[in-house]
Amino acid sequence: MDWLIVAPWVLVVLFFVALFAGFIDSIAGGGGLISLPALLAAGVPPAQAIATNKLSSIGGSFSASLYFVRRGVVDLNDQKLNIACTFVGSVIGAILIQHLRADMLRQILPLLIICIGLYFLLTPRLGESDRARRFNALPYALVGGGCVGFYDGFFGPGAGSFYALAFVTLCGFNLAKATAHAKVLNFTSNLGGLIFFILGGKVIWVLGFVMAAGQFIGARLGARMVLTKGQKMIRPMVVVVSVVMSCKLIYDNHGAEIHQWLSLHL
């Protein structure tokens, strides 16, 4: 398909898909599980779809970050070290993924995401209010910023949930505050990964900018909901998104085996 003359209806559909993905992602993460399959369904080759989706995600994470910073929820001066470590981690991850296979991580990831969902489900008071920090500035920047940033550059799905969980458990932030700060680091790691996709010439700019615009609008709406609804909305959405994300990843990994088992037993 010639993406320079892509059908207008495809752009319209992808715009609204991205808008919904940006809304979900700004609240609970996992927006890539919506936008990436849409690109693949539109006929975009996998490598280009992943690269273009990264550009799309930039629109959403930037929009949410800008909203939270302007509302005074996030102070960028306090996050400089976290941002720096996150960027470095994401760049290293993006470099390594081009030389290493991520098969083992792909198998383990659904279990990790299920654990996140269960953790939020079984701890109803998690993130209800601010608590004492467990990690000081540098240790947290290396773990919550650098390590999660490395994961986002290396693989990606669920990074927003990992950032938010780290802010709640290691920094003692309430859930709304943790979600706001997570978007800033998510934008940082998205940017670090995008640089290498651009250098590789994989980004389809027409689709990427259209979807980035959709995510920008959707994320702004979602960010507003984070501050008005807070924990009451974030917790159930994190649980639901974690379950959906895990099921999607398991199906991606073992779809053929699942179909074979169903054909034998049904």
Side-chain angles (χ1 to χ4, degrees):
M1 182 180 294
D2 186 352
W3 296 108
L4 294 178
I5 53 173
V6 62
W9 70 268
V10 174
L11 295 178
V12 172
V13 170
L14 290 177
F15 173 85
F16 282 104
V17 168
L19 189 151
F20 180 63
F23 177 81
I24 295 297
D25 195 67
S26 65
I27 298 173
L33 290 178
I34 301 170
S35 54
L36 182 58
L39 283 166
L40 294 171
V44 181
Q48 291 176 298
I50 293 171
T52 304
N53 187 63
K54 187 65 74 172
L55 174 59
S56 171
S57 299
I58 284 284
S61 56
F62 174 74
S63 175
S65 299
L66 183 63
Y67 181 80
F68 291 131
V69 170
R70 285 182 170 178
R71 293 298 296 267
V73 182
V74 178
D75 184 348
L76 291 180
N77 286 326
D78 292 340
Q79 297 302 309
K80 287 180 179 178
L81 188 57
N82 290 339
I83 291 171
C85 289
T86 300
F87 184 82
V88 172
S90 68
V91 168
I92 295 172
I95 292 172
L96 286 182
I97 191 58
Q98 300 179 52
H99 303 286
L100 299 175
R101 298 184 65 182
D103 292 349
M104 182 61 70
L105 181 59
R106 188 175 287 109
Q107 299 297 327
I108 296 173
L109 184 60
L111 298 177
L112 296 178
I113 294 177
I114 288 173
C115 289
I116 290 178
L118 288 174
Y119 187 59
F120 276 94
L121 179 64
L122 299 176
T123 51
R125 298 184 65 85
L126 179 70
E128 192 173 54
S129 60
D130 288 346
R131 298 183 179 183
R133 291 183 70 111
R134 294 184 180 181
F135 278 31
N136 292 324
L138 182 57
Y140 180 81
L142 293 174
V143 176
C147 291
V148 181
F150 171 83
Y151 163 76
D152 196 15
F154 187 80
F155 198 66
S161 299
F162 288 122
Y163 283 125
L165 183 62
F167 274 117
V168 170
T169 57
L170 303 181
C171 283
F173 288 1
N174 66 65
L175 195 50
K177 185 177 177 182
T179 301
H181 283 74
K183 297 319 298 178
V184 174
L185 298 192
N186 212 174
F187 169 73
T188 303
S189 54
N190 281 338
L191 182 61
L194 179 63
I195 289 172
F196 284 88
F197 285 123
I198 292 174
L199 294 176
K202 298 294 186 181
V203 178
I204 300 173
W205 295 100
V206 173
L207 300 185
F209 281 126
V210 167
M211 296 185 73
Q215 286 226 25
F216 188 93
I217 296 171
R220 177 61 180 269
L221 298 173
R224 183 178 299 175
M225 296 290 282
V226 167
L227 296 188
T228 56
K229 302 296 183 180
Q231 188 199 30
K232 292 182 179 179
M233 168 173 256
I234 299 171
R235 279 191 67 257
M237 285 199 68
V238 169
V239 173
V240 171
V241 169
S242 296
V243 171
V244 172
M245 196 182 308
S246 300
C247 292
K248 173 67 168 57
L249 291 169
I250 291 171
Y251 183 81
D252 288 344
N253 294 338
H254 304 287
E257 293 93 328
I258 292 172
H259 280 296
Q260 184 178 15
W261 187 89
L262 289 174
S263 65
L264 292 174
H265 293 83
L266 295 180

